[in-house]
Amino acid sequence: MTDTATEERIVIPVTGMTCAACQARVQRTLARTPGVADATVNLMLNNATIAFDPHEISAEKLVEAIRESGYGAELPATTRGAFEEQEEAEAAHAKEVRALTQKVVVALILAAAAMALSMQGMGAMGARNTMVRWTLLVLTTFVMAWAGRHFYTRAWSALRHGGSDMNTLISVGTGAAYLFSAAATVAPGWFLSRGVEPHVYFEAVDAIIALILLGNLFEARAKQRTSAALRALADLQPHTARVVVDGQEMDVPVEQVRRGDLVLIRPGERVPVDGDVTGGQSAVDESMLTGESMPVAKAPGGKVYGGTMNRTGALRIRATALGADSALARIVQLMRDAQGTRAPIQNLADRVSAIFVPSVIGIAIFTFALWMFLPQSTQSGQLVVHALTAAVAVLIIACPCAMGLAVPTAMMVATGKGASLGILFKGGDALQRANDIDVVVLDKTGTVTEGRPTVTDIVAYGDKFTADALLALVASAERQSEHPLADAIVQGAKARGLALSDAEGFTALAGHGVTAVVDGSALAIGNPALMQQYAVDVAPLRERADALAGDGKTPAYVAVDGELAGLIAVADPIKQTTAEAVRALGALGTEVVLLTGDTLRTANAIARQAGIGRVIAEVLPEGKVEAIRKLQAEGHVVGMVGDGINDAPALAQADVGFAIGTGTDVAIEAGDVTLMRGDPRGVAQAIELARKTMGTMKQNLFWAFVYNVIGIPIAAGALYPAFGLQLNPVIASGAMAFSSVSVVSNSLRLRRARIS
């Protein structure tokens, strides 16, 4: 057991992995290593994310452990940020695609030439036939040694380390066909003397290698498309910034910008770094970070984020966050971390992959023996040919690649799709749990409501004051109060451009209201109990006040010089999108619960407006955790949505915590899913995306398994007794390549999925 307090995490690049069996072997090696608390090996990203105790094992020892399993590994550069890591990953992908393209072109040309030569060399043994065979031997040797070399070197490396993988199957299959053909070419008489026709399969070997390489190329290109969202985010980072120094503007590399520097951003330019606006006004498109299509107005005092697009006006900002600390870099890193995790459903594929390759080799040997020893009318020489063909087809058609790609490809596409919607999943486990949510608990303030109380109603009683005059008097008195509702009244007056006066004799009466003298008039502002103290009859406005309270608003009576002057109501209005979010969650079959510390009357009023059927009210911050536990005890899978510090424990307790990205860092850290917009519709979108992703993962795993369940028996010759059909190894190689590409292509459909 490792101490979580001292636990460290490291992401180590791993080279040489080609299939689920490779991934599983590295995973098992790391899991058995003392000091490792958790390890996730990702075939798509070609890395291992390891949590370890530095007191028990060093990062260098972890690299050695990976190398001892037969794969390459290097310590990551400590100076690299999320952008640099993504650029290196993209460069590695591009290099892989270029190398594969070159090999595929050459291998396909030579395979076509081999087939043409084979057709000319058919017939009885003779000088021409012998020359063709020797030409094919040389040509095929080159194809295997150059285009297919990595298959054999990796298979040998796996064998030396006591393992096997997809390369083993390819190497044994093509190697057997090559050795049989080479022997038949060098010593055809030996075969003829024993009643065996000295057939050669050089063209099949060339075609198999060419088709597998072609499948690898399609797969590599498809993999690039799965990381398109990450690439798009990384590309948003500008390379230069216009810094103002001593009144002079100069363009400098963005890496040279320092915290506190003044940066000028012109219309149509991307914001180079995070910063506070110190001058200018503009509308900034933040859709690449939040998914919100409407530009956001910016003025002095506002914040801008690197990578966003400045639209209409020039802005002057003070740099506050740079490099890895910027919002864009944190999102890129969060996505990379999420894609490096594993969904629990992957465990099924890992268990199968651990025994897959040895099982396939066993089936191939059994197939060869079965063909050789079953009584048939076929001549014994043909039996060897049939047996070899069937055994090679079994080895070639089996594809552990598809199983290894089934889950991580869907995970990568889903996290990218989520980012485009302003939804950031912290890992595969969070995504899988979100699929099962049947109850969503919404915190009220800042989640269901705007989190900013505002004046909603001004009711002047009698002819002495207009609504604006009444508000100006009350705001003048409330300026000295620290209560949030008082601030809402003051801000409401300022928004109307009302002139405020100085208040004298201000007194705050806890639980009742305030009193003050403004412009010579004695004011009392508060609840009925305060009015009763000053003998003010509130009966004329009681019915209106009760109606406002029933709508979830907080009414305050106003008395001037001992007479009732009116009523002002303040409320935290629900977000315009809340009701739509509740309907969307309902359409997904998810129950919605409102959780708040407000009174039951206020909570019921808010719930009515939002369309929420179940309310848990008058709950203290520590009581929110207990409320979540009770729902879980009822058998529900609970998603909790919140944005404040007091929501963090409940977010952690929930099966899935949804943190509103506009909220506190503590809440965001505690959540499993971050909603970059302050829009509750993101919860429904996240759940819908999780369900579609899990559906895709299950489809991928199903077809990966079914492909082998059906394909291996056919390759072994299951159709031959009834139909006389035997699968050609060349066709088997094409089918194997197609299986991996089909899994990746199915995952890519998530990019076009309609998320309401």
Side-chain angles (χ1 to χ4, degrees), residues 176-364:
Y178 174 81
L179 291 175
F180 182 91
S181 302
T185 300
V186 174
W190 186 90
F191 287 86
L192 290 170
S193 66
R194 287 162 176 76
V196 178
E197 189 69 29
H199 290 292
V200 294
Y201 299 96
F202 292 122
E203 77 285 357
V205 173
D206 295 333
I208 288 169
I209 291 174
L211 287 174
I212 292 174
L213 287 171
L214 183 61
N216 292 162
L217 176 60
F218 288 153
E219 184 182 309
R221 287 179 171 173
K223 283 181 181 179
Q224 283 186 310
R225 291 167 62 195
T226 64
S227 60
L230 259 176
R231 183 166 60 253
L233 280 175
D235 288 345
L236 293 176
Q237 175 67 40
H239 296 292
T240 62
R242 187 170 293 105
V243 179
V244 180
V245 180
D246 298 329
Q248 300 295 316
E249 300 175 13
M250 60 179 67
D251 289 335
V252 301
V254 71
E255 295 82 6
Q256 295 182 13
V257 178
R258 296 291 177 263
R259 191 171 283 104
D261 283 353
L262 281 175
V263 180
L264 181 65
I265 309 158
R266 293 173 178 168
E269 293 181 341
R270 290 203 179 275
V271 178
V273 295
D274 293 6
D276 296 328
V277 179
T278 61
Q281 292 185 338
S282 185
V284 176
D285 181 356
E286 297 181 345
S287 59
M288 63 288 299
L289 295 183
T290 66
E292 176 57 63
S293 58
M294 292 296 293
V296 181
K298 301 293 181 181
K303 290 184 177 295
V304 293
Y305 303 98
T308 57
M309 176 65 75
N310 184 31
R311 290 295 186 191
T312 56
L315 291 174
R316 188 181 294 257
I317 69 169
R318 180 81 63 181
T320 58
L322 315 169
D325 295 328
S326 70
L328 181 60
R330 290 201 304 272
I331 290 172
V332 170
Q333 188 60 55
L334 184 60
M335 285 184 64
R336 287 184 62 84
D337 291 344
Q339 292 177 350
T341 64
R342 56 198 290 108
I345 195 174
Q346 176 69 37
N347 295 333
L348 174 62
D350 289 347
R351 288 195 294 270
V352 174
S353 299
I355 61 172
F356 184 82
V357 174
S359 299
V360 170
I361 293 175
I363 293 171

Side-chain angles (χ1 to χ4, degrees), residues 19-20 40 49 79 89 97 115 143 164 233 291 311 316 357 371 373 409 437 443 449 456 462 480 690 696 718:
C19 67
T40 299
T49 303
T79 57
V97 169
M115 288 182 182
V143 171
S164 56
L233 280 175
R311 290 295 186 191
R316 188 181 294 257
V357 174
W371 273 91
F373 297 109
T409 52
I437 289 174
D443 176 63
T449 65
T456 59
Q480 298 185 38
T696 298

Side-chain angles (χ1 to χ4, degrees), residues 116-139:
L117 284 171
S118 296
M119 293 178 65
Q120 291 183 15
M122 288 181 179
M125 293 295 296
R128 178 181 177 84
N129 188 296
T130 301
M131 184 180 67
V132 167
R133 290 181 176 223
W134 279 98
T135 302
L136 287 171
L137 174 61
V138 173
L139 187 150

Side-chain angles (χ1 to χ4, degrees), residues 98-178:
R98 285 195 301 271
L100 280 172
T101 301
Q102 186 180 32
K103 288 183 177 181
V104 165
V105 170
V106 174
L108 285 174
I109 292 173
L110 294 181
M115 288 182 182
L117 284 171
S118 296
M119 293 178 65
Q120 291 183 15
M122 288 181 179
M125 293 295 296
R128 178 181 177 84
N129 188 296
T130 301
M131 184 180 67
V132 167
R133 290 181 176 223
W134 279 98
T135 302
L136 287 171
L137 174 61
V138 173
L139 187 150
T140 304
T141 302
F142 172 77
V143 171
M144 295 175 72
W146 180 72
R149 180 175 182 273
H150 60 283
F151 295 137
Y152 307 102
T153 56
R154 290 171 181 173
W156 174 245
S157 176
L159 180 63
R160 286 192 301 110
H161 292 87
S164 56
D165 54 25
M166 182 197 74
N167 298 296
T168 306
L169 300 180
I170 296 171
S171 299
V172 173
T174 57
Y178 174 81

